[in-house]
Amino acid sequence: QRGALVIDVTLAALSEFLTRLEVAAGGRAFIVDGEDRLVATSHGTVTDAAGVRFALAQAPDAAIRAVSARVSKGRPPPVGPLHVEFNGAPARAQVTELKPYPGIDWRVVVVLPESAFLSEAKKVRNRAIGTAAVAILGSLAIGLLVARLLSRPIVNMTAHVKRVGTGDFDTRLDLRGAKELAVLSDEINRMAGGLKERMALEQSLAV
């Protein structure tokens, strides 16, 4: 037994399929037949009020009209993407031949603004700028913290020497954080103690 399988795909179904494509969100996707007439489009309509399919040059969509002269059947197939204008901005158009069955000579055209290509690069750039800013702020914070930790013993030692200079020999200096600082504080305390004994001896001799 033999049978025949017929698949009926309407132009409206093709257009609905194109509208679901990711590229249709920011650009255009449409199908053209061998007579440069619309078969399906992701935006707008394919036929006029009389039910006649639009030619590319008369399509209601400005993006289709912008590329009509570049993708017409009389021109040789383009090699690589085409540079066109879309909504007053530079865009790229890609044409792909579609010949699934004998007698069907279609072309699938995708038009996408160049800003869509640059959006990912801008995201990467913004992420890089944000990462660099965080790294710089982190480095500054760490630098300030380290500087404060390094300068704190010097500040404490300066304040202690000033107190000793005013005659407060009983105050003690306690520097911690490194062995050298502990040795330095012990020597300064010993010096203050020696100055106290010397001042007491001088007072006794004076009496």
Side-chain angles (χ1 to χ4, degrees), residues 59-81:
D61 192 347
I64 298 177
R65 294 196 305 271
V67 300
S68 61
R70 305 289 299 277
V71 299
S72 60
K73 188 63 177 179
R75 297 178 63 92
V79 179

mmCIF file of all heavy atoms in Angstrom, residues 59-81:
data_model
loop_
_atom_site.group_PDB
_atom_site.id
_atom_site.type_symbol
_atom_site.label_atom_id
_atom_site.label_comp_id
_atom_site.label_asym_id
_atom_site.label_seq_id
_atom_site.Cartn_x
_atom_site.Cartn_y
_atom_site.Cartn_z
ATOM 1 N N ALA A 59 7.095 46.618 1.277
ATOM 2 C CA ALA A 59 6.744 46.053 2.587
ATOM 3 C C ALA A 59 6.486 47.171 3.589
ATOM 4 O O ALA A 59 7.143 48.217 3.562
ATOM 5 C CB ALA A 59 7.855 45.145 3.089
ATOM 6 N N PRO A 60 5.516 46.971 4.481
ATOM 7 C CA PRO A 60 5.235 48.019 5.479
ATOM 8 C C PRO A 60 6.352 48.190 6.509
ATOM 9 O O PRO A 60 6.460 49.247 7.133
ATOM 10 C CB PRO A 60 3.941 47.538 6.140
ATOM 11 C CG PRO A 60 3.900 46.063 5.898
ATOM 12 C CD PRO A 60 4.578 45.837 4.597
ATOM 13 N N ASP A 61 7.171 47.188 6.686
ATOM 14 C CA ASP A 61 8.261 47.262 7.661
ATOM 15 C C ASP A 61 9.448 47.996 7.037
ATOM 16 O O ASP A 61 9.962 47.602 5.980
ATOM 17 C CB ASP A 61 8.671 45.858 8.099
ATOM 18 C CG ASP A 61 9.579 45.872 9.319
ATOM 19 O OD1 ASP A 61 10.082 46.951 9.673
ATOM 20 O OD2 ASP A 61 9.773 44.806 9.926
ATOM 21 N N ALA A 62 9.892 49.061 7.693
ATOM 22 C CA ALA A 62 11.008 49.860 7.165
ATOM 23 C C ALA A 62 12.293 49.051 7.100
ATOM 24 O O ALA A 62 13.128 49.272 6.218
ATOM 25 C CB ALA A 62 11.218 51.104 8.030
ATOM 26 N N ALA A 63 12.480 48.101 8.010
ATOM 27 C CA ALA A 63 13.702 47.291 8.007
ATOM 28 C C ALA A 63 13.754 46.418 6.759
ATOM 29 O O ALA A 63 14.825 46.228 6.165
ATOM 30 C CB ALA A 63 13.770 46.435 9.261
ATOM 31 N N ILE A 64 12.606 45.888 6.344
ATOM 32 C CA ILE A 64 12.575 45.063 5.134
ATOM 33 C C ILE A 64 12.844 45.920 3.905
ATOM 34 O O ILE A 64 13.597 45.520 3.005
ATOM 35 C CB ILE A 64 11.216 44.341 5.023
ATOM 36 C CG1 ILE A 64 11.020 43.407 6.224
ATOM 37 C CG2 ILE A 64 11.132 43.555 3.720
ATOM 38 C CD1 ILE A 64 9.689 42.699 6.238
ATOM 39 N N ARG A 65 12.263 47.103 3.864
ATOM 40 C CA ARG A 65 12.507 47.990 2.725
ATOM 41 C C ARG A 65 13.975 48.413 2.663
ATOM 42 O O ARG A 65 14.535 48.607 1.582
ATOM 43 C CB ARG A 65 11.618 49.228 2.815
ATOM 44 C CG ARG A 65 10.131 48.940 2.682
ATOM 45 C CD ARG A 65 9.356 50.222 2.383
ATOM 46 N NE ARG A 65 9.607 51.258 3.355
ATOM 47 C CZ ARG A 65 8.909 51.423 4.482
ATOM 48 N NH1 ARG A 65 7.906 50.590 4.772
ATOM 49 N NH2 ARG A 65 9.184 52.397 5.327
ATOM 50 N N ALA A 66 14.607 48.549 3.835
ATOM 51 C CA ALA A 66 16.005 48.997 3.860
ATOM 52 C C ALA A 66 16.948 47.984 3.229
ATOM 53 O O ALA A 66 17.978 48.361 2.662
ATOM 54 C CB ALA A 66 16.433 49.294 5.295
ATOM 55 N N VAL A 67 16.605 46.703 3.316
ATOM 56 C CA VAL A 67 17.491 45.666 2.783
ATOM 57 C C VAL A 67 16.972 45.097 1.468
ATOM 58 O O VAL A 67 17.589 44.185 0.917
ATOM 59 C CB VAL A 67 17.680 44.527 3.811
ATOM 60 C CG1 VAL A 67 18.278 45.047 5.087
ATOM 61 C CG2 VAL A 67 16.362 43.827 4.089
ATOM 62 N N SER A 68 15.835 45.603 0.984
ATOM 63 C CA SER A 68 15.228 45.015 -0.212
ATOM 64 C C SER A 68 16.166 45.075 -1.411
ATOM 65 O O SER A 68 16.301 44.096 -2.160
ATOM 66 C CB SER A 68 13.912 45.735 -0.532
ATOM 67 O OG SER A 68 14.149 47.119 -0.786
ATOM 68 N N ALA A 69 16.846 46.224 -1.599
ATOM 69 C CA ALA A 69 17.728 46.350 -2.760
ATOM 70 C C ALA A 69 18.977 45.492 -2.632
ATOM 71 O O ALA A 69 19.592 45.134 -3.646
ATOM 72 C CB ALA A 69 18.125 47.815 -2.942
ATOM 73 N N ARG A 70 19.321 45.113 -1.413
ATOM 74 C CA ARG A 70 20.551 44.356 -1.201
ATOM 75 C C ARG A 70 20.335 42.855 -1.278
ATOM 76 O O ARG A 70 21.295 42.109 -1.463
ATOM 77 C CB ARG A 70 21.144 44.701 0.182
ATOM 78 C CG ARG A 70 21.378 46.185 0.421
ATOM 79 C CD ARG A 70 22.521 46.708 -0.412
ATOM 80 N NE ARG A 70 23.762 46.049 -0.099
ATOM 81 C CZ ARG A 70 24.554 46.404 0.931
ATOM 82 N NH1 ARG A 70 24.211 47.415 1.708
ATOM 83 N NH2 ARG A 70 25.680 45.768 1.138
ATOM 84 N N VAL A 71 19.088 42.404 -1.121
ATOM 85 C CA VAL A 71 18.830 40.958 -1.087
ATOM 86 C C VAL A 71 17.903 40.538 -2.219
ATOM 87 O O VAL A 71 17.373 39.420 -2.190
ATOM 88 C CB VAL A 71 18.217 40.551 0.273
ATOM 89 C CG1 VAL A 71 19.150 40.872 1.403
ATOM 90 C CG2 VAL A 71 16.858 41.210 0.489
ATOM 91 N N SER A 72 17.692 41.393 -3.200
ATOM 92 C CA SER A 72 16.801 41.040 -4.305
ATOM 93 C C SER A 72 17.382 39.875 -5.095
ATOM 94 O O SER A 72 18.588 39.621 -5.091
ATOM 95 C CB SER A 72 16.585 42.249 -5.214
ATOM 96 O OG SER A 72 17.824 42.681 -5.760
ATOM 97 N N LYS A 73 16.489 39.171 -5.798
ATOM 98 C CA LYS A 73 16.898 37.958 -6.500
ATOM 99 C C LYS A 73 17.885 38.249 -7.616
ATOM 100 O O LYS A 73 18.755 37.447 -7.939
ATOM 101 C CB LYS A 73 15.650 37.261 -7.081
ATOM 102 C CG LYS A 73 15.926 35.894 -7.677
ATOM 103 C CD LYS A 73 16.416 34.919 -6.627
ATOM 104 C CE LYS A 73 16.619 33.527 -7.213
ATOM 105 N NZ LYS A 73 17.124 32.581 -6.195
ATOM 106 N N GLY A 74 17.812 39.424 -8.213
ATOM 107 C CA GLY A 74 18.700 39.733 -9.325
ATOM 108 C C GLY A 74 20.135 39.967 -8.926
ATOM 109 O O GLY A 74 21.040 39.929 -9.769
ATOM 110 N N ARG A 75 20.373 40.199 -7.651
ATOM 111 C CA ARG A 75 21.735 40.447 -7.193
ATOM 112 C C ARG A 75 22.406 39.132 -6.830
ATOM 113 O O ARG A 75 21.740 38.172 -6.428
ATOM 114 C CB ARG A 75 21.741 41.382 -5.979
ATOM 115 C CG ARG A 75 21.179 42.766 -6.274
ATOM 116 C CD ARG A 75 21.187 43.609 -5.004
ATOM 117 N NE ARG A 75 22.555 43.820 -4.538
ATOM 118 C CZ ARG A 75 23.299 44.857 -4.883
ATOM 119 N NH1 ARG A 75 22.817 45.757 -5.731
ATOM 120 N NH2 ARG A 75 24.514 45.007 -4.408
ATOM 121 N N PRO A 76 23.719 39.066 -6.950
ATOM 122 C CA PRO A 76 24.417 37.841 -6.533
ATOM 123 C C PRO A 76 24.287 37.649 -5.030
ATOM 124 O O PRO A 76 24.188 38.616 -4.277
ATOM 125 C CB PRO A 76 25.878 38.103 -6.946
ATOM 126 C CG PRO A 76 25.996 39.591 -7.004
ATOM 127 C CD PRO A 76 24.653 40.084 -7.474
ATOM 128 N N PRO A 77 24.261 36.413 -4.571
ATOM 129 C CA PRO A 77 24.124 36.176 -3.124
ATOM 130 C C PRO A 77 25.277 36.810 -2.363
ATOM 131 O O PRO A 77 26.434 36.679 -2.768
ATOM 132 C CB PRO A 77 24.130 34.649 -3.014
ATOM 133 C CG PRO A 77 24.779 34.165 -4.265
ATOM 134 C CD PRO A 77 24.416 35.152 -5.330
ATOM 135 N N PRO A 78 24.991 37.540 -1.298
ATOM 136 C CA PRO A 78 26.052 38.218 -0.550
ATOM 137 C C PRO A 78 26.954 37.220 0.170
ATOM 138 O O PRO A 78 26.521 36.139 0.584
ATOM 139 C CB PRO A 78 25.282 39.083 0.442
ATOM 140 C CG PRO A 78 23.978 38.385 0.622
ATOM 141 C CD PRO A 78 23.664 37.747 -0.689
ATOM 142 N N VAL A 79 28.193 37.597 0.276
ATOM 143 C CA VAL A 79 29.171 36.798 1.022
ATOM 144 C C VAL A 79 29.372 37.461 2.385
ATOM 145 O O VAL A 79 29.912 38.558 2.473
ATOM 146 C CB VAL A 79 30.508 36.706 0.266
ATOM 147 C CG1 VAL A 79 31.512 35.903 1.081
ATOM 148 C CG2 VAL A 79 30.301 36.077 -1.111
ATOM 149 N N GLY A 80 28.904 36.805 3.408
ATOM 150 C CA GLY A 80 29.012 37.377 4.736
ATOM 151 C C GLY A 80 27.876 38.340 5.016
ATOM 152 O O GLY A 80 26.973 38.547 4.188
ATOM 153 N N PRO A 81 27.885 38.975 6.173
ATOM 154 C CA PRO A 81 26.796 39.888 6.549
ATOM 155 C C PRO A 81 26.839 41.186 5.736
ATOM 156 O O PRO A 81 27.901 41.638 5.309
ATOM 157 C CB PRO A 81 27.048 40.151 8.032
ATOM 158 C CG PRO A 81 28.521 39.906 8.213
ATOM 159 C CD PRO A 81 28.883 38.828 7.240
#
